[in-house]
Amino acid sequence: IAGITQAPTSQILAAGRRMTLRCTQDMRHNAMYWYRQDLGLGLRLIHYSNTAGTTGKGEVPDGYSVSRANTDDFPLTLASAVPSQTSVYFCASSEGTGSPLHFGNGTRLTVT
Amino acid sequence: AQSVTQLGSHVSVSEGALVLLRCNYSSSVPPYLFWYVQYPNQGLQLLLKYTTGATLVKGINGFEAEFKKSETSFHLTKPSAHMSDAAEYFCAVSARANNNDMRFGAGTRLTVKP
């Protein structure tokens, strides 16, 4: 089934540790996104990539980095995790402007 | 930048009753508007979208929404609620220039009582 695969499903991480959340899509979409979901705040965009080789900052990029080496993969890295990064992280992709987003099932991250 | 306000973080209806979830948006340019649904422990799924053309948009599972430019609204409705409609619903807006500025509302949790 075509879609977006995120790993891990959940993770408990000690503050100060480095963590990479993985995201792979098989729909050949050019655009990919990382959002965080927090209760009462909806989804907020962390970083995006319009095409392989390019990335951009979203609404809440501090403390996160991304790379887009190819069309299918879009990993999100927390260089030194802090408790405020406890959240559910969603990867998404789209065909482009005006197209809806396709979401993975999320990674639940707890930073202690 | 665009923004979305969803009125009511929690809506409760009886099975068979009308579902009305409210969404108001702010955008300096003509917007694209979306409704997504999220079931527990899953990602968001598209319910319906408005891009151009007819202002009454029909989506999956019997839901529909009407784009009202004069009211800057995009309310979601369903004539008769089903137990399976219980979920979290998100309204989203993006500028026609690019999807990178898609903004989501805080969400409305719909409960359906038997």
Side-chain angles (χ1 to χ4, degrees):
Chain A
I1 297 177
I4 292 184
T5 302
Q6 291 186 238
T9 303
S10 65
Q11 182 76 44
I12 298 174
L13 187 67
R17 298 296 297 268
R18 180 185 181 90
M19 174 76 188
T20 295
L21 308 185
R22 300 185 298 278
C23 174
T24 299
Q25 56 119 346
D26 61 4
M27 296 174 283
R28 307 302 292 173
H29 287 167
N30 281 324
M32 296 188 74
Y33 312 85
W34 275 104
Y35 286 88
R36 58 178 289 172
Q37 182 180 23
D38 301 289
L39 191 63
L41 297 177
L43 279 79
R44 292 179 293 169
L45 182 64
I46 304 170
H47 284 288
Y48 64 89
S49 169
N50 286 328
T51 189
T54 68
T55 63
K57 295 181 179 181
E59 189 181 359
V60 288
D62 294 343
Y64 306 94
S65 64
V66 292
S67 62
R68 188 88 184 275
N70 56 62
T71 297
D72 298 341
D73 301 301
F74 191 43
L76 176 73
T77 297
L78 289 67
S80 179
V82 296
S84 62
Q85 292 177 311
T86 293
S87 187
V88 181
Y89 291 86
F90 287 98
C91 181
S93 71
S94 81
E95 295 176 350
T97 301
S99 298
L101 303 185
H102 297 258
F103 286 86
N105 284 333
T107 294
R108 184 175 295 275
L109 181 67
T110 302
V111 182
T112 61
Chain B
Q2 295 71 241
S3 66
V4 174
T5 301
Q6 291 185 238
L7 299 176
S9 60
H10 190 194
V11 170
S12 181
V13 301
S14 298
E15 191 173 21
L18 171 72
V19 176
L20 171 61
L21 305 183
R22 299 178 187 274
C23 171
N24 288 90
Y25 70 91
S26 172
S27 178
S28 58
V29 297
Y32 292 130
L33 295 161
F34 306 83
W35 275 99
Y36 291 87
V37 61
Q38 184 181 33
Y39 299 103
N41 299 315
Q42 294 185 25
L44 281 68
Q45 304 171 34
L46 180 70
L47 267 181
L48 50 81
K49 66 175 182 178
Y50 169 78
T51 53
T52 59
T55 56
L56 181 63
V57 180
K58 296 186 183 299
I60 62 171
N61 301 336
F63 284 93
E64 62 182 35
E66 186 171 11
F67 170 57
K68 292 187 176 181
K69 182 178 179 180
S70 62
E71 299 177 8
T72 61
S73 69
F74 192 56
H75 302 330
L76 182 71
T77 61
K78 181 174 180 177
S80 176
H82 191 273
M83 296 296 291
S84 61
D85 295 327
E88 185 110 21
Y89 292 81
F90 293 91
C91 183
V93 61
S94 71
R96 288 173 179 263
N98 67 77
N99 258 10
N100 300 326
D101 203 18
M102 184 174 289
R103 298 298 177 106
F104 287 81
T108 298
R109 180 167 298 278
L110 176 66
T111 300
V112 182
K113 299 174 292 185

